[in-house]
Amino acid sequence: MTATLRDEIRQRKPFRSIYEEAALNIVRTAALLSADFEQIFKPYGLTGTQYNVLRILRGADEAGLCRNDVRDRLLTRMPDATRLLDRMEKAGLLSRAREQEDRRLVTTRLTKKGRQLVDDLDPIVARQHRERLGHMSDKQLATLNSLLTQARHPE
Amino acid sequence: MTATLRDEIRQRKPFRSIYEEAALNIVRTAALLSADFEQIFKPYGLTGTQYNVLRILRGADEAGLCRNDVRDRLLTRMPDATRLLDRMEKAGLLSRAREQEDRRLVTTRLTKKGRQLVDDLDPIVARQHRERLGHMSDKQLATLNSLLTQARHPE
DNA sequence: TGACAGTAGGTGTTATGACACTTATTATCC
DNA sequence: GGATAATAAGTGTCATAACACCTACTGTCA
C-alpha cells in the first residue's frame, strides 16, 4: 500500500477546490443557524418555515398576500404552500379570504394571534442572532454580507 | 396614516440588525446552492443527503463506518440514519455487516456500484461548483471561507 | 360569444424527516 | 460475577415535503 493511498484512507481529503470548500462552508453554517432557530421556535409549535411565513405576512400587514406571493418570498423552495398555510390557519395564526374581484385569489393575513406571536418572538430572535454572530465585528459582517450577495449573483 | 407606517406596509423592512442580515444571507445562499445540487442528483435517484453519505463512505474506504459515525459526519442533523441507509442499501449502493468483535456495531461500506456512482458524479459536481462560484476570485472565496468558519466558532 | 390558454389554488399519493420508545450487546462497579 | 448503566441499532407512528395531477376562474382573440 502506497503512502498516498494510506493517507487517502486515514484522513479523507476534505475539499477538492476552493469553490467546493466555500459551498460546504455556506451549507454547514446555514445548517447550524437553522438548527438553532428550529429549537427556539419549537416551544411555540412553529417550524422555521412557519416563522418565516409569519414574518412575511407581518410585512404585508392588512393587505395580506396570496398563496403564491407567500411561497415565492420564502427562503426555501416550498411546493406545498397550501397545506403549510392550512396548518397555520388551523392554529389560528392566519386567516384566508377568497377575493371578490378576482375569485382565483385567496388572500392570507395574520390574525391578531399570529401578529402577537411574531411580535413576541422578535426580542428572542434578535437575542439569538446576537449570541450567534455577536462575536464578529460590524466590518466583518458587512464583508460577509457583501461576499454572500455576490456569491448569489453571478454575472 | 403616517409616512413611516405607509413605508412599513409598502416595503417590509428587510433586516433589523446586521446579525440578522448575515444569518438570512447565509441561509438563503445555502438554500440556493442546495437546490442546485438536489437537481443535479435527481436524475441519479439521489438526494443531497444520500450523496453526502456516498462521499463520507468513500472517505472511509474499506474500513467503513458504523451508523452513528455516518450520521455525525453529515452536514445536516439526521435523526433517522437507519432508514436513510436502508434505502441506499436497497438501491445497492452500500452494504452493511454486523461486527464480530462488538456485535452492537454494524459497519457500512460502499459497494462497487456506490463507489462507481460517486466517482462518476465527481466531475459533474466539480463543474457545478465552478459554475456557481467561479465568478469570484480566490481571494474573495478565501475571505468568505475564513469569515464563515469564524461565524461557526464563537469564542 | 365561445373556445382556449394562462393563472391561482387545491388534492392524492408517496417518500422522507422527526420523535419517542425498544432491543441487543458491552462496559462498569460493587 | 451479577446488577446496572451505557452504547449501538432499529422500530412505530405521526408530521411534513415532494411530485404529479385536478378544478375554478379570468383574459384573449378568432
Side-chain angles (χ1 to χ4, degrees):
Chain A
M1 188 183 285
T2 69
T4 330
L5 184 52
R6 220 181 306 130
D7 290 350
E8 187 89 14
I9 289 166
R10 192 160 306 151
Q11 66 168 47
R12 94 178 220 274
K13 203 188 305 174
F15 305 118
R16 225 156 318 188
S17 70
I18 194 167
Y19 306 124
E20 191 162 332
E21 183 180 357
L24 287 180
N25 228 336
I26 292 166
V27 172
R28 194 171 294 140
T29 310
L32 192 68
L33 292 171
S34 301
D36 285 349
F37 280 99
E38 295 287 347
Q39 290 308 310
I40 281 190
F41 299 139
K42 191 175 296 175
Y44 300 87
L46 286 179
T47 63
T49 305
Q50 289 177 339
Y51 173 73
N52 283 327
V53 171
L54 292 183
R55 288 281 297 259
I56 288 163
L57 287 178
R58 178 169 63 179
D61 208 73
E62 288 301 325
L65 284 172
C66 73
R67 182 191 73 166
N68 287 352
D69 282 346
V70 173
R71 184 194 62 195
D72 295 345
R73 281 172 170 74
L74 282 170
L75 283 79
T76 56
R77 198 173 79 86
M78 180 66 209
D80 194 9
T82 297
R83 273 172 287 210
L84 172 63
L85 296 177
D86 282 350
R87 284 171 224 127
M88 296 179 70
E89 184 177 22
K90 203 171 163 189
L93 299 174
L94 51 84
S95 66
R96 283 190 284 190
R98 179 75 61 175
E99 286 303 308
Q100 289 312 312
E101 311 86 68
D102 185 342
R103 290 188 43 74
R104 290 172 300 183
L105 292 163
V106 173
T107 300
T108 305
R109 294 180 184 82
L110 283 194
T111 59
K112 194 168 173 181
K113 181 179 172 190
R115 171 83 200 207
Q116 188 64 51
L117 177 55
V118 66
D119 285 348
D120 288 349
L121 283 168
D122 277 344
I124 300 171
V125 168
R127 172 152 40 83
Q128 174 66 17
H129 279 123
R130 255 198 324 279
E131 275 177 18
R132 257 293 159 212
L133 298 173
H135 63 293
M136 298 182 72
S137 72
D138 282 9
K139 188 162 185 300
Q140 285 178 318
L141 290 170
T143 306
L144 180 57
N145 279 326
S146 158
L147 288 171
L148 287 169
T149 304
Q150 214 177 325
R152 282 207 307 286
H153 301 289
E155 58 243 17
Chain B
M1 187 182 288
T2 68
T4 331
L5 184 51
R6 219 183 306 129
D7 290 350
E8 187 88 14
I9 289 165
R10 191 159 306 151
Q11 66 169 48
R12 96 179 215 275
K13 202 188 304 174
F15 306 118
R16 224 155 317 190
S17 71
I18 194 166
Y19 306 123
E20 190 163 333
E21 182 180 357
L24 287 179
N25 228 335
I26 292 166
V27 171
R28 194 173 292 141
T29 310
L32 192 69
L33 292 172
S34 300
D36 285 349
F37 280 99
E38 295 285 348
Q39 290 308 309
I40 281 191
F41 298 139
K42 191 174 295 175
Y44 300 87
L46 286 178
T47 63
T49 305
Q50 288 176 340
Y51 173 74
N52 282 328
V53 171
L54 291 182
R55 288 281 296 259
I56 288 163
L57 288 177
R58 178 169 64 180
D61 208 74
E62 288 302 323
L65 284 172
C66 74
R67 183 191 72 166
N68 287 352
D69 282 347
V70 173
R71 184 194 61 195
D72 295 344
R73 281 172 169 74
L74 282 170
L75 283 79
T76 55
R77 199 172 80 87
M78 179 66 208
D80 194 10
T82 297
R83 273 172 286 211
L84 172 63
L85 295 178
D86 283 350
R87 286 171 220 128
M88 296 180 70
E89 184 177 21
K90 203 170 165 190
L93 299 174
L94 52 83
S95 66
R96 284 189 284 189
R98 180 74 60 174
E99 286 302 308
Q100 289 312 311
E101 311 86 70
D102 185 341
R103 291 186 43 75
R104 289 173 300 183
L105 292 162
V106 172
T107 300
T108 305
R109 295 180 184 83
L110 284 193
T111 59
K112 194 168 173 180
K113 181 179 172 190
R115 172 83 201 207
Q116 187 66 49
L117 177 56
V118 66
D119 284 349
D120 289 349
L121 284 168
D122 277 344
I124 300 172
V125 168
R127 172 151 40 82
Q128 174 66 18
H129 278 122
R130 256 199 322 279
E131 276 177 17
R132 257 293 159 214
L133 298 174
H135 63 292
M136 298 182 73
S137 73
D138 282 10
K139 188 163 185 300
Q140 285 178 318
L141 290 169
T143 306
L144 180 56
N145 279 325
S146 159
L147 288 171
L148 287 169
T149 305
Q150 213 177 323
R152 281 207 308 284
H153 300 289
E155 60 242 20

